[in-house]
Each structure stands twice: as C-alpha cells, then as structure tokens.
Amino acid sequence: MSIRVPHAWLLGLLLAVACSSPEPENVTITATDSGGTGDVTATATATATADSTGGGSEQEFPGDPLTFFIEETTQFAPVPGVAGCNNDDLNNVGSQLQQAMLAAGWTGEYLNNAQGSTYHFNDPFASEGSPFGQEGTFADSRRVTVYASHGNINFLQWGQPGPTPTGAEGVCQLIINDAMRLGSLVGDISGAAIYATSCTAYVHDNKLIETLFVGAQIGQHFGWHNSPHISDPLLASFFDQTGTSIIDGKDTIVPVHNREAFIGIGQSKPGLSRNSPVVYTPGQTAPEVVDRHFNARMRLGIGLENVIPEPQNPDIYNYAWVDHGTSPTCEP
C-alpha cells in the first residue's frame, strides 16, 4: 500500500501511531539542518502511514550481519553504598525496538535493568575509562547501539550497578565524553547510536559536539535536546519507517531516511507539546557527511559502513533538529 502526500520530504511519519493523542492531518513541520557542511531547511507534512516497499531497488547492507545492542533501565531505587542510582521509574521502549529489529532479520542483544551495567559502555582506554571497561564486548560490538534510561548533558544513569567486573566498583553513572568511545579504540563496530535519554543531544553552547563527538566517533547519533516523553513504540516506529518509501505529489517513489523518520517521529509525545529530537552526523569529509546525513536508512543498513572513517573532523558535521523548547532539568 502506498500513500500520497503533497511534499517530497515526510518528516512527520507515524506521529499518530507513536503518540497517544493523534496529530491533526496536514500539519506542517519544519526541521533545520545545521553544521560545518552548511544549512538546509526541509518542510514536510505529517501523515499516519507509509508503505513497506523497502525503498524499491536500493542496495541493502553488503557487509556482515546487521546487529544491535540495546540496554535499558526502567527501575530506579536507592542502592546502599552506591551513589546516584535513585530516580523516577520509566516506561519500556527497548523491547518493542528489539522485536522490530529481530523481525527485520537483525540479530542482537537486549539487556534490561539489573542485566545492564555502566561497564558495558565504558572504554578502558578513554580519558577516564575504567580498566574494567567492557565496551568492546557490549556497546561497541554491534552495528547499532541503544541506551534507554535517564540522562542529561554528557551523562547516562543506571538504576542499579548490575554485573560488576571482579575488582571493579559498582556505579550507576557514566560521563560520556570521559569514559565512552563508541566507534574507536575498543570494539570499533558501532555505526550509529540512539540515546533514549534526557538532554544527551543538547544542541546549545556546543554541548552536542563536546559530548557526542568526543564520546563517540561513529556515523550517526539520535537523541533529544530536551527531556522527552518517549512512548513505548516510538523507537520501533522510527526503525521500521527507515525501511519504507512514500509516493510524492509527482508519483515519485521517495525513500524514508533516518533523518526524516527520527525528526518526525521523535517529536511526538503523549499529551500536549512536543519533544525536541536531534540527528547528529559527524565525519571526516563534507561529501561523506552529506551522503550519510541525507541518505542513511537504518533498517536496511544503508549508512552503516563496515568502517566509519576516523578520526572524524570536529568542524565537519551536520545536525537536524526541531526546537520545541528546552526542559528546565537540562543542565549545561
């Protein structure tokens, strides 16, 4: 089944599905791309569905099997002798993403609550990495890496220490640009990361670059500038949409890319107002960044190259985001 929309770019895909309060039809959404490669603005119309053609004849991922690593914390409580574990409990967004990825033929691992550990994201060779870090066998050992929990600028939180390597200290917090190096040093497999956390992709004051460029030299990052309300199917909807296509007003088949899908779906939230989603694409050269930023399609593995060129250039990048405000809890 195909649908017809009046614009070539569909930034508002599945807003009604991902949100408990359906969005009105024909809502115009504007997303702005900014970065060292220049500024581009795209406008599109929200809709509720798209076909699942997989983008017609586009070449799918030619490399090794498509793999994922998802870690999620939904339960938080004080832990005797361990600081920083307590917070509000959260809903579960990772299990539906896991199901969607398995249904698409991916393989991977999903760890929830007490199964998770900061050490799974800690690189022993990062500037403040623990010698007990296990990033290379967990978070940086699969093509797509996801962490879903509480967070803030440059910060991820767990609700319990989880499996702690022998001789290591049980901890519930990780500073991204000090202790995590997805896509470099140990592991070096991850090509994209999703941070289903608050403020981790905070755009202002150069925090986006200072956090994610330093903490992960990989091909593409997905997160939120504010403290989002993420519904259970949101991440799964984003993933599925990157394997679909639409028909524009000129009967042209238009594939749905990561950028459009995440910016559209990432805005939706239960109730009033919207989230502020961000897609950040770094790289080594401007052509590489432009190609991945506008053409990557996660479900098909497009943009998940075997090796993302490193070292990336902090002055060559692009990011797309929609600013629906900043949460008071986001602390620069």
Side-chain angles (χ1 to χ4, degrees):
M1 179 183 70
S2 298
I3 59 167
R4 298 177 186 271
V5 296
H7 298 281
W9 296 112
L10 192 67
L11 299 181
L13 291 168
L14 277 180
L15 281 169
V17 174
C19 178
S20 60
S21 300
E23 301 285 342
E25 293 184 2
N26 300 320
V27 175
T28 299
I29 303 168
T30 300
T32 301
D33 285 277
S34 305
T37 59
D39 298 339
V40 180
T41 299
T43 303
T45 299
T47 188
T49 159
D51 82 26
S52 56
T53 62
S57 61
E58 284 212 46
Q59 179 66 43
E60 296 189 14
F61 183 69
D64 56 14
L66 287 167
T67 55
F68 63 85
F69 177 77
I70 304 170
E71 190 155 306
E72 180 169 32
T73 304
T74 62
Q75 298 172 1
F76 296 81
V79 177
V82 182
C85 302
N86 193 32
N87 212 325
D88 296 330
D89 287 349
L90 296 169
N91 61 305
N92 184 294
V93 300
S95 60
Q96 290 196 34
L97 175 61
Q98 177 201 27
Q99 293 167 16
M101 298 179 100
L102 291 175
W106 288 51
T107 61
E109 187 173 15
Y110 171 59
L111 302 180
N112 191 25
N113 289 316
Q115 297 174 319
S117 168
T118 61
Y119 291 99
H120 296 165
F121 286 77
N122 193 308
D123 190 314
F125 298 104
S127 61
E128 298 295 329
S130 166
F132 302 98
Q134 300 173 315
E135 183 193 64
T137 53
F138 288 93
D140 202 13
S141 65
R142 311 294 168 85
R143 289 292 167 194
V144 173
T145 305
V146 182
Y147 186 64
S149 178
H150 286 294
N152 211 304
I153 299 169
N154 201 26
F155 171 83
L156 300 175
Q157 182 186 16
W158 279 251
Q160 51 274 315
T164 302
T166 302
E169 178 184 1
V171 293
C172 284
Q173 300 179 1
L174 179 141
I175 305 301
I176 294 172
N177 66 11
D178 284 344
M180 186 178 81
R181 287 294 297 269
L182 297 176
S184 57
L185 299 182
V186 174
D188 205 5
I189 299 298
S190 184
I194 301 173
Y195 312 93
T197 58
S198 294
C199 319
T200 304
Y202 186 88
V203 172
H204 295 160
D205 304 319
N206 208 41
K207 296 301 180 184
L208 180 70
I209 313 303
E210 292 176 357
T211 297
L212 300 185
F213 176 79
V214 175
Q217 293 204 34
I218 60 179
Q220 207 161 41
H221 306 260
F222 305 88
W224 281 267
H225 170 79
N226 63 340
S227 185
H229 292 227
I230 305 173
S231 58
D232 293 1
L234 191 149
L235 296 184
S237 296
F238 157 63
F239 174 79
D240 282 337
Q241 286 305 293
T242 63
T244 66
S245 62
I246 62 170
I247 299 178
D248 69 6
K250 297 181 180 180
D251 292 335
T252 302
I253 294 178
V254 179
V256 179
H257 304 99
N258 293 347
R259 173 181 164 275
E260 298 98 69
F262 192 77
I263 291 299
I265 292 171
Q267 293 179 69
S268 63
K269 62 181 290 188
L272 301 175
S273 75
R274 291 182 179 179
N275 298 321
S276 298
V278 181
V279 178
Y280 166 52
T281 309
Q284 196 174 72
T285 66
E288 170 209 341
V289 168
V290 169
D291 180 62
R292 189 160 55 244
H293 187 69
F294 290 99
N295 297 313
R297 303 181 67 193
M298 184 178 292
R299 189 180 186 277
L300 304 181
I302 298 170
L304 290 172
E305 290 85 357
N306 287 317
V307 178
I308 301 296
E310 299 170 12
Q312 295 173 348
N313 189 327
D315 297 320
I316 298 178
Y317 60 87
N318 211 316
Y319 64 87
W321 76 302
V322 178
D323 187 0
H324 288 300
T326 305
S327 305
T329 54
C330 296
E331 299 176 358

